[in-house]
């Protein structure tokens, strides 16, 4: 395992510019004007395309649980927590952006993946631990997005059912069929060779995320203005009224994990940065994209969380658009959920491409003469290539993630757990440690103590949220019948 992760780091695992083609980098020469400073395919990304990738990655299924999360924390702690996570995400992402190149920020050696950067700055054993955290989180995100997309697809049918038969009708749907259909769609999109080919899909997905977030905010605002709202309190759900004391603690901690998941994208930041053209230096462009992406999503998050809580109060549903606090206009609910599905089709690929690239680059480096691994078979008049390794391995990955989603379809619990296990190590710990090593910050200096204190506090939050989410999954499993889950 250690050797595999180290090899993946050394050989790029590049889910960005050209890593998924798995050929040795072309040498400069004839036609060199189309090649980059390291002989790879010329990058064309800008602050706008990078921002689209970030927004696609950040505004995902996490936004749908923010009203519920705010309900667990209340009017004071809820909004403050959102702002704290936004600041931490932006700050540590800026530290990570500075680690894209080793040495000089403009001309130093490029680190094509998150693990490349860890290997360059922190050494061998850190690569192993980083690989575990990163790929478990990426796989988990694929599972989480499959769950969320299927619930939203089922909600379209349910909205029409409620409109025709009344709000008291039994319109519940089995989610398994929708998960299978989503998986089939992902098998097709997973055959796109690399991350650069996903720019159009990320832009479309970003538009979709704005659309359904705006609808959720608009419906919450309309409900709040109409006066048909639930009870809200400064501290959120009330002990003895809404929950017991133990549930209050577990759910509050799980809410922290859900908020952390809502901001998770650092594990693919380097891959996104590797799509950005230079000059100017990639870290400058990426910091601008991060500021634009995080500030935009935070504005939506504050509106979604606070207005959703104002609309539903302490009884806010776990998923604001599929929990059916909203029934009408049913066609708008349909459109919002279709937007969610389209967005998650793109977001699934944004998070899965680094996994695809790491595995395929590793196999190509081990067996460079294998036709099964390296040969591209042109189709559609040479406009699309099929690679047998890509076809088989990526299909298996999608099938496995779909089966896992079918087996564990617990929306809030899974989101909280993913946020917990990914937030501290990938968003905080590694960026902080790499930055300390890069800038040669003196141990026990004021800046060193501040950075390490931030990392330790985030570790405690992640640990508590992970325990709470595991407890939630345990409780859900007590009442769960495999393949018979309805939403």
């Amino acid at each position: 395992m250690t050797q595999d992760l180290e090899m993946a780091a050394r050989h790029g695992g590049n889910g960005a510019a050209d890593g998924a083609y798995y050929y040795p980098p072309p040498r400069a020469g004839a036609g060199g004007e189309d090649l980059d400073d390291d002989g790879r395919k010329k990058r064309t990304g800008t602050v706008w395309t990078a921002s689209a990738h970030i927004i696609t990655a950040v505004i995902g299924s996490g936004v749908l649980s923010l009203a519920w999360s705010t309900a667990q924390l209340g009017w004071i702690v809820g909004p403050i927590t959102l702002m704290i996570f936004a600041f931490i995400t932006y700050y540590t992402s800026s530290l990570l952006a500075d680690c894209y190149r080793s040495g000089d920020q403009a001309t130093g050696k490029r680190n094509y993946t998150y693990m490349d950067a860890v290997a360059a700055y922190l050494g061998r054993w850190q690569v192993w631990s980083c690989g575990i955290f990163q790929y478990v989180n990426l796989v988990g995100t694929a599972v989480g997005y499959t769950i969320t997309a299927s619930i939203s697809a089922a909600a379209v049918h349910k909205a029409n059912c409620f409109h025709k038969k009344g709000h008291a009708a039994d319109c519940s749907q089995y989610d398994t069929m929708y998960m299978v259909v989503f998986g089939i769609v992902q098998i097709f999109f997973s055959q796109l060779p690399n991350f650069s080919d996903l720019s159009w899909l990320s832009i479309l997905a970003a538009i979709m995320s704005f659309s359904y977030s705006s609808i959720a905010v608009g419906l919450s605002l309309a409900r709040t203005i109409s006066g048909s709202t639930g009870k809200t309190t400064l501290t959120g759900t009330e002990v003895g009224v809404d929950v017991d004391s133990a549930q209050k603690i577990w759910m509050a901690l799980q809410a922290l994990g859900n908020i952390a998941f809502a901001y998770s994208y650092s594990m693919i930041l380097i891959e996104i940065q590797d799509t950005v053209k230079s000059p100017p230096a990639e870290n400058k462009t990426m910091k601008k994209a991060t500021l634009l992406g995080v500030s935009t999503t935070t504005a939506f998050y504050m509106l979604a969380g606070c207005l959703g809580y104002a609309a539903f109060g302490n009884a806010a549903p776990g998923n604001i658009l599929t929990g059916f606090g909203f029934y009408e206009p049913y066609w708008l609910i349909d459109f919002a959920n279709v937007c969610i599905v389209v967005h998650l089709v793109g977001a699934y690929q944004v998070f899965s491409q680094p996994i695809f690239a790491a595995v395929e680059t590793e196999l190509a480096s081990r067996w460079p003469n294998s036709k099964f691994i390296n040969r591209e078979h042109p189709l559609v008049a040479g406009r699309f290539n099929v690679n047998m390794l890509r076809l088989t391995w990526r299909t298996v990955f999608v099938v496995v993630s779909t089966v896992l989603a079918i087996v564990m379809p617990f929306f809030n619990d899974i989101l909280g757990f993913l946020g917990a296990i990914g937030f501290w190590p990938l968003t905080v710990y590694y960026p902080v440690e790499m930055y300390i090593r890069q800038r040669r910050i003196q141990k026990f200096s004021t800046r060193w103590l501040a950075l390490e204190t931030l990392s330790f506090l985030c570790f405690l939050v992640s640990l508590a949220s992970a325990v709470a989410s595991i407890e939630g999954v345990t409780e859900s499993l007590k009442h769960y019948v495999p393949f018979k889950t309805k939403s």
Side-chain angles (χ1 to χ4, degrees), residues 263 294-304:
Y263 280 105
V294 173
S295 60
T296 300
T297 54
T298 300
F300 271 92
Y301 283 0
M302 291 294 288
L303 290 171

Side-chain angles (χ1 to χ4, degrees), residues 144-179:
Y145 282 178
T146 302
I147 295 170
T148 308
S150 66
I151 293 173
S152 293
V156 173
H157 183 278
K158 291 167 65 178
N160 295 331
C161 174
F162 285 129
H163 178 70
K164 292 178 181 178
K165 300 181 179 180
H167 299 171
D170 180 11
C171 294
S172 56
Q173 290 285 303
Y174 287 108
D175 296 332
T176 301
M177 177 186 70
Y178 296 100
M179 293 182 187

Side-chain angles (χ1 to χ4, degrees), residues 414-435:
I414 295 298
L415 293 195
F417 181 72
L418 292 174
I421 65 172
F423 175 68
W424 172 70
L426 299 174
T427 301
V428 181
Y429 173 75
Y430 291 111
V432 164
E433 295 301 317
M434 286 190 287
Y435 185 78

Side-chain angles (χ1 to χ4, degrees), residues 46-52 54-55 90 93-94 97-98 265 269 273 276 279-296:
T46 65
V47 65
W48 299 109
T49 60
S51 298
I54 292 171
I55 292 171
Y90 170 71
S93 295
S94 297
D98 283 337
Y265 86 100
L269 183 145
Q273 191 166 346
V276 174
E282 298 90 350
N283 65 324
K284 293 181 179 180
T285 301
M286 198 62 191
K287 287 179 181 180
K288 292 178 182 178
T290 298
L291 179 61
L292 179 61
V294 173
S295 60
T296 300

Side-chain angles (χ1 to χ4, degrees), residues 350-372:
V350 168
F351 280 91
S352 298
Q353 285 287 327
I355 305 174
F356 298 156
V359 171
E360 294 165 23
T361 301
E362 164 67 8
L363 293 177
S365 68
R366 287 178 179 267
W367 294 285
N369 298 320
S370 171
K371 294 180 180 180
F372 179 83

